[in-house]
């Protein structure tokens, strides 16, 4: 085994105490039972004309976790522009719900049950205090038992669609039922909500697939206002409506432009290359998103340097609140 990549990969795995290589640490039975009844199926349906129907589908299925007598915490993309929401508990009861809020900063969403859930809420844990590595458990909708995971990384994550988390929860082994699934600590407290399957939990050097869970601490501060009025206090973060990826030689290639977004209105097109923001060169997505946040909240003016067909041009635009581009569900 002299191939450099294989040597690096194996060295990393041997040095890391992965969950499946450790003796199983069972949770107490009452804790398991509380978790099992707290995870519900989330079924949503959006209008076929919704902006997100093309990318996320009109019908969506995932999980959610009961965090209050009438409140379920889930991943936000299940709820974007959703016209109908149904919750199905561990006994098979179908409970109508409504979208209460989607927090674009964290990517988490809240559902309000329209009839009593009659389910015990799970307390929120402290996702910032989790040891890395450390043992955690996950449960998704319609699963009959918990799956043991290992928290292996808190590396920053930047997605192509203007979404960035500074310290997500990266876990192994990879599981398939991640969308909105609960992640629980050794006391049975909810510490994360499943979001994605990622191919590189350790980063580009060791491309090992696992899952990304959104830390619950990101929702704690805005939670009271999200429940009270469906949005956070203060101005919304800036949004351009650009999906992009880094290019080897520098700059970002535009993959998609959201309809009616600031980028679309300013004439930015698929295939353009973003070269600089406010005169500062762009090299990668985290750099892009940090600078976009530094510009200010929605309504701020900025200048992008782009290259199209070999010509460099300057484009001035005003950032927007992403929620304003989405169809507001009639349930809110």
């Amino acid at each position: 085994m002299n191939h450099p990549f294989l040597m690096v990969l194996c060295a990393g795995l041997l040095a890391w105490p992965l969950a499946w290589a450790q003796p199983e640490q069972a949770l107490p039975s009452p804790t398991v039972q509380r978790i099992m009844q707290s995870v519900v199926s989330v079924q949503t349906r959006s209008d076929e004309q919704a902006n997100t129907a093309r990318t996320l589908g009109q019908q969506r299925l995932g999980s959610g976790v009961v965090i209050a007598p009438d409140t379920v915490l889930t991943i936000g993309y299940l709820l974007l522009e959703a016209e109908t929401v149904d919750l199905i508990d561990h006994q098979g009861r179908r409970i109508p719900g409504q979208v209460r809020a989607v927090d674009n900063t964290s990517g988490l969403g809240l559902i309000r049950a329209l009839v009593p859930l009659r389910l015990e809420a799970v307390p929120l844990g402290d996702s910032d205090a989790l040891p890395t590595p450390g043992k955690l458990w996950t449960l998704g909708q319609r699963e009959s038992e918990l799956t043991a995971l290992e928290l292996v990384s808190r590396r920053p994550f930047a997605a192509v669609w203007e979404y960035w988390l500074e310290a997500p929860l990266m876990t192994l082994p990879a599981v398939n039922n991640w969308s909105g699934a609960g992640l629980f600590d050794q006391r049975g407290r909810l510490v994360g909500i499943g979001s994605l399957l990622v191919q590189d939990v350790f980063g580009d050097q060791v491309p090992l697939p696992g899952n990304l869970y959104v830390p619950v601490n990101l929702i704690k501060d805005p939670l009271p206002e999200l429940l009270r009025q469906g949005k956070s206090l203060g101005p919304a973060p800036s949004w351009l409506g650009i999906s992009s990826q880094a290019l080897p030689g520098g700059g970002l290639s535009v993959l998609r432009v959201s309809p009616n977004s600031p980028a679309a209105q300013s004439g930015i097109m698929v295939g353009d290359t973003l070269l600089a923001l406010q005169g500062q060169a762009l090299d990668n997505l985290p750099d892009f998103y940090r600078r976009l946040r530094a510009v200010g909240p929605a309504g701020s003016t900025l200048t992008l340097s782009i290259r199209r067909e070999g010509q460099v041009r300057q484009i001035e635009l005003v950032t927007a609140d992403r929620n304003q581009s989405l169809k507001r569900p009639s349930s809110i």
Side-chain angles (χ1 to χ4, degrees):
M1 187 171 59
N2 294 323
H3 193 285
F5 170 75
L6 292 178
M7 294 176 66
V8 170
L9 176 60
C10 291
L13 294 180
L14 290 172
W16 206 275
L18 298 178
W20 56 90
Q22 297 181 12
E24 189 67 25
Q25 302 173 18
L27 292 175
S29 180
T31 300
V32 171
Q33 293 304 313
R34 183 177 63 183
I35 292 174
M36 294 294 296
Q37 60 83 45
S38 74
V39 174
V40 297
S41 296
V42 176
Q43 298 179 359
T44 68
R45 182 181 178 88
S46 69
D47 186 276
E48 62 181 5
Q49 301 301 319
N51 289 332
T52 56
R54 183 173 65 174
T55 54
L56 296 174
Q58 191 177 352
Q59 299 184 62
R60 303 163 202 170
L61 172 65
S63 309
V65 183
V66 179
I67 63 168
D70 65 346
T71 303
V72 170
L73 182 63
T74 186
I75 196 66
Y77 58 69
L78 295 175
L79 308 183
L80 294 175
E81 300 181 295
E83 289 291 342
T84 64
V85 179
D86 285 313
L87 305 171
I88 302 174
D89 70 6
H90 65 296
Q91 297 176 329
R93 289 190 307 145
R94 183 175 291 269
I95 303 161
Q98 65 177 189
V99 178
R100 185 58 193 135
V102 175
D103 178 48
N104 288 324
T105 300
S106 66
L108 296 172
L110 294 163
I111 300 168
R112 174 178 290 165
L114 298 180
V115 298
L117 287 170
R118 299 198 298 274
L119 300 172
E120 183 181 357
V122 171
L124 300 182
D126 185 355
S127 55
D128 290 340
L130 296 173
T132 307
K135 178 79 72 175
L136 298 171
W137 284 263
T138 188
L139 184 71
Q141 54 99 17
R142 298 184 181 178
E143 291 182 339
S144 60
E145 60 183 7
L146 299 173
T147 299
L149 299 178
E150 187 85 2
L151 175 62
V152 298
S153 171
R154 302 297 301 267
R155 71 169 186 81
F157 173 80
V160 299
W161 59 88
E162 289 187 51
Y163 179 60
W164 172 47
L165 293 177
E166 188 63 49
L169 306 172
M170 298 286 194
T171 62
L172 289 174
V175 296
N176 290 325
N177 193 10
W178 70 80
S179 182
L183 186 69
F184 304 91
D185 66 12
Q186 297 194 26
R187 295 173 59 185
R189 300 174 302 183
L190 181 67
V191 292
I193 293 290
S195 177
L196 297 166
L197 176 70
V198 296
Q199 299 302 319
D200 51 356
V201 292
F202 290 108
D204 295 337
Q205 298 301 313
V206 184
L208 192 65
N211 294 102
L212 182 154
Y213 289 81
V214 180
V216 297
N217 280 20
L218 296 180
I219 201 74
K220 288 181 178 178
D221 285 344
L223 184 58
E225 289 304 317
L226 291 172
L227 292 173
R228 185 177 298 116
Q229 58 183 20
K231 62 180 182 179
S232 301
L233 286 174
S238 281
W239 175 72
L240 299 177
I242 297 173
S243 294
S244 60
Q245 66 180 6
L247 293 171
L252 307 174
S253 175
V254 177
L255 305 176
R256 183 176 181 272
V257 178
S258 298
N260 303 316
S261 66
Q265 294 170 3
S266 67
I268 292 176
M269 301 169 59
V270 172
D272 288 347
T273 298
L274 308 181
L275 300 175
L277 191 159
Q278 305 292 71
Q280 295 182 308
L282 296 172
D283 296 320
N284 54 58
L285 289 177
D287 181 47
F288 179 30
Y289 298 155
R290 289 187 184 103
R291 292 183 184 179
L292 179 58
R293 290 187 182 183
V295 167
S300 300
T301 300
L302 59 79
T303 300
L304 281 172
S305 301
I306 72 166
R307 183 173 59 236
R308 179 184 302 162
E309 298 178 349
Q311 300 295 316
V312 176
R313 62 186 70 186
Q314 308 297 315
I315 294 181
E316 185 174 283
L317 50 79
V318 179
T319 65
D321 174 0
R322 184 170 190 251
N323 285 331
Q324 298 303 313
S325 73
L326 302 175
K327 182 180 179 181
R328 188 173 177 85
S330 57
S331 62
I332 295 184

